[in-house]
Amino acid sequence: MQPVELYPGVISDPNILGGKPVIKGTRVPVSLVLGKLAGGMSIEEVMYEYYLNLEGIRAALGYAAQRVAEEDIYVTQK
């Protein structure tokens, strides 16, 4: 099975981390990048730590924004 580009710069390949979304050309999961940024690491620190470029970071953020925009959230009152 071939890799699928989920978003420009983000792919899913069943041979890499079981198909989890990763930055294209790496084995770095999108979830890792987002978690590190959310945890307080700077973009530059994430780039250095995981050998990514700015385009890879932006791809992860763009993919996450797309996924959140696609969600339907239903709030119920108690």
Side-chain angles (χ1 to χ4, degrees), residues 7-29:
Y7 185 87
V10 174
I11 65 163
S12 174
D13 183 337
N15 298 315
I16 301 174
L17 298 176
K20 291 188 181 287
V22 297
I23 306 302
K24 188 174 184 177
T26 75
R27 297 179 63 84
V28 179

Side-chain angles (χ1 to χ4, degrees), residues 54-72:
L54 184 56
E55 291 77 24
I57 301 291
R58 287 183 174 157
L61 293 169
Y63 175 71
Q66 175 184 295
R67 291 298 306 262
V68 169
E70 293 171 351
E71 283 186 8
D72 290 326

Side-chain angles (χ1 to χ4, degrees), residues 6-59:
L6 303 172
Y7 185 87
V10 174
I11 65 163
S12 174
D13 183 337
N15 298 315
I16 301 174
L17 298 176
K20 291 188 181 287
V22 297
I23 306 302
K24 188 174 184 177
T26 75
R27 297 179 63 84
V28 179
V30 168
S31 61
L32 178 82
V33 173
L34 298 173
K36 295 297 182 179
L37 292 171
M41 283 181 81
S42 71
I43 290 174
E44 291 77 16
E45 289 171 323
V46 175
M47 288 170 52
Y48 177 79
E49 187 76 21
Y50 297 99
Y51 305 101
L52 297 173
N53 56 30
L54 184 56
E55 291 77 24
I57 301 291
R58 287 183 174 157

